[in-house]
Amino acid sequence: MLSILATQFVILWAVIDPVGSVPIYLSQTSHMSAKQKRRVAVKAVAIAFAILLFFLIVGQILLEAMQIPLPAFQAAGGLVLLLFSLTMIFGEGKPGQEAKMLSEDVDKAEIAATAVYPLAVPSIASPGAMMAVVMLTDNNRYAIAEQAVTAGVMFVVLVATLVLLLGANVIHKVIGNVGASIISRVMGLILASVAVANLLEGIQKFYHLS
């Protein structure tokens, strides 16, 4: 049982990638106050949990009903992730938007929008994470109790993600806006690589290429 839990934890940690969400969080919230950053972090993790829980419960049923193979879903998710990563690399990046003043100019709609995209989706609840929870809770192989355990492991990983995001504010104070901008672009390149890998893997599985 412990080995199964450890395996699931490692898989979900890899696909959710809590550490990889930190630079994206920093780049998208650098113009916000500390309180607003915390709200974004909490909202993003809560939304990601809801999305992943949805896929855990009905994802397999939904995809099968719509006759969407998992590789096609993975390829589409990789493409979306690639498009976002390009905005991180070539966009001006929020760390450099000094014309946009702090706190007062940031409304609730922007906080909610930032929490949803790109943090909740596709950073935390990535296409890979959605695919992983569907596969780890395959209705043909796992009982309800086993699926509940997987949900618990997923919750633990998301709590760790929240802790890292809340701690990112301290990191930002150390590296400043320039450092955040540099990290954003470097991570954008890495994210693009991950996105292309997901896209190619989805295509490979779809066409059964060796």
Side-chain angles (χ1 to χ4, degrees):
M1 185 64 179
L2 287 176
S3 62
I4 294 174
L5 287 174
T7 301
Q8 290 189 350
F9 180 84
V10 170
I11 292 173
L12 290 173
W13 183 276
V15 294
I16 294 175
D17 191 13
V19 177
S21 297
V22 172
I24 298 173
Y25 169 76
L26 287 175
S27 69
Q28 299 299 302
T29 61
S30 62
H31 62 292
M32 298 181 183
S33 67
K35 181 179 178 181
Q36 289 164 341
K37 289 179 181 180
R38 287 193 296 271
R39 288 175 62 189
V40 168
V42 172
K43 280 180 177 290
V45 173
I47 293 168
F49 176 73
I51 292 171
L52 292 178
L53 188 62
F54 173 81
F55 271 87
L56 187 149
I57 296 172
V58 299
Q60 183 177 358
I61 299 172
L62 183 63
L63 292 176
E64 288 177 355
M66 298 177 67
Q67 296 184 336
I68 299 175
L70 288 179
F73 182 77
Q74 182 179 9
L79 183 59
V80 172
L81 201 59
L82 176 61
L83 292 174
F84 169 69
S85 66
L86 292 178
T87 65
M88 289 181 66
I89 298 170
F90 298 111
E92 63 175 323
K94 289 193 176 180
Q97 294 177 359
E98 294 184 5
K100 193 168 188 177
M101 303 303 291
L102 284 170
S103 58
E104 291 80 13
D105 294 336
V106 181
D107 56 19
K108 292 182 179 179
E110 183 179 350
I111 290 174
T114 303
V116 174
Y117 177 87
L119 275 174
V121 181
S123 180
I124 302 173
S126 65
M130 296 176 197
M131 264 193 58
V133 297
V134 170
M135 289 170 23
L136 289 173
T137 57
D138 187 344
N139 296 328
N140 300 318
R141 292 189 294 163
Y142 302 105
I144 297 296
E146 293 173 309
Q147 295 182 26
V149 170
T150 302
V153 175
M154 181 185 74
F155 178 76
V156 171
V157 174
L158 288 174
V159 169
T161 303
L162 178 59
V163 171
L164 286 174
L165 292 183
L166 294 175
N169 294 329
V170 178
I171 298 174
H172 183 259
K173 289 179 181 178
V174 175
I175 64 177
N177 286 341
V178 175
S181 181
I182 294 172
I183 290 176
S184 175
R185 280 160 175 76
V186 172
M187 289 306 300
L189 183 59
I190 296 174
L191 196 62
S193 303
V194 173
V196 171
N198 280 331
L199 178 59
L200 294 178
E201 186 179 350
I203 293 172
Q204 181 186 37
K205 290 179 179 177
F206 184 82
Y207 289 105
H208 304 288
L209 302 174
S210 58

